[in-house]
Amino acid sequence: MPITLRNAPRQGAARLAAHLTELLRQKKSPSEMPVKMRLEELSHSEPHPVFYVPLDALAAGKLLDAATQTSWRYLLVQDDAAIAEAELSSGRRGAKGAGAKALEFLGLTQGPFTAATIEALAAAEQLPQVAAADYELRLLKVPAVYLVALWLRGAKDDILVPMGDPPGGLKKNRAYTEAAVIKALRGIVEQTKRFQDAYDEKQRKRGGRKRP
């Protein structure tokens, strides 16, 4: 069975192309690009949604239920290789029933997670669970503990495939359940939360001091 993609946002490809054209015209592509981007030879993947989880939620033992979509991610391909990635805002509806917000270009980057995504996808496609059922492709980010993982959302279960150099003893390109990831991250989450709480308390005390 295939790894599926959610329906792409309307006008997403057009907005992406317009911003890439403008960036290359102004020569503002990332300086660390491994190859020079050539617009006429550039293509992109279908987008997948990016989800974010805050530290407080993970410290409370929540992961996927606390994830909120923040953007759409496109892999940029040139000469049959993924060379960069670009993100557009999620275009979610505004408050009080307002219409969907216009897609915004969030940035163009080239880093280790571009190639790591291809590696993780190749590993995910070999999983027996994926061979037996459909899974929707998502990207999960927990910046507070430096976790980035493919999130395969199934009808009956979820599979997480960490990428890059994952924390907590997790192995890249291996499949984990949500419970296993939460357990592996428990130590680093508790430590990070203590540091964050101590910093926040220091800032509150500093802000509460009266000026002489």
Side-chain angles (χ1 to χ4, degrees):
M1 307 293 279
I3 294 177
T4 63
L5 293 167
R6 186 190 298 182
N7 291 337
R10 288 184 179 182
Q11 303 300 319
R15 191 167 294 273
L16 175 64
H19 279 281
L20 289 177
T21 300
E22 184 65 15
L23 285 174
L24 294 181
R25 186 183 68 80
Q26 296 180 3
K27 298 181 179 180
K28 290 184 178 180
S29 58
S31 58
E32 70 273 15
M33 291 288 293
V35 297
K36 182 179 180 180
M37 292 177 66
R38 301 182 299 275
L39 188 63
E40 67 278 5
E41 298 180 19
L42 200 63
S43 61
H44 61 77
S45 69
E46 288 297 311
H48 49 272
V50 178
F51 287 79
Y52 163 83
V53 178
L55 176 62
D56 286 348
L58 192 51
K62 299 178 181 179
L63 185 58
L64 301 184
D65 284 346
T68 56
Q69 186 182 350
T70 57
S71 62
W72 291 91
R73 180 176 183 245
Y74 296 77
L75 297 182
L76 305 183
V77 179
Q78 183 172 289
D79 297 328
D80 296 324
I83 62 170
E85 56 193 75
E87 290 191 28
L88 299 180
S89 61
S90 62
R92 298 174 67 87
R93 288 189 174 275
K96 298 182 179 180
K101 298 178 180 178
L103 294 171
E104 296 181 1
F105 184 75
L106 299 181
L108 170 68
T109 59
Q110 193 285 324
F113 290 112
T114 303
T117 300
I118 303 301
E119 294 177 6
L121 271 173
E125 288 172 344
Q126 302 304 312
L127 295 173
Q129 303 98 306
V130 172
D134 288 344
Y135 287 85
E136 179 193 305
L137 176 63
R138 300 177 174 185
L139 188 76
L140 184 72
K141 291 184 177 182
V142 190
V145 294
Y146 303 101
L147 175 69
V148 180
L150 293 187
W151 174 7
L152 304 181
R153 176 69 168 170
K156 297 181 179 180
D157 63 342
D158 295 280
I159 303 171
L160 295 173
V161 182
M163 300 176 356
D165 185 16
L170 296 168
K171 304 298 183 182
K172 70 176 183 178
N173 302 336
R174 291 197 185 175
Y176 293 89
T177 64
E178 177 186 17
V181 171
I182 292 174
K183 181 179 180 180
L185 296 178
R186 187 169 298 149
I188 189 171
V189 167
E190 291 175 351
Q191 182 183 54
T192 304
K193 187 69 167 61
R194 286 196 298 270
F195 288 155
Q196 184 64 56
D197 289 346
Y199 174 81
D200 290 344
E201 180 63 21
K202 184 177 180 180
Q203 292 300 105
R204 281 194 294 269
K205 290 181 178 179
R206 179 177 298 174
R209 291 176 183 169
K210 294 182 178 180
R211 294 183 179 180

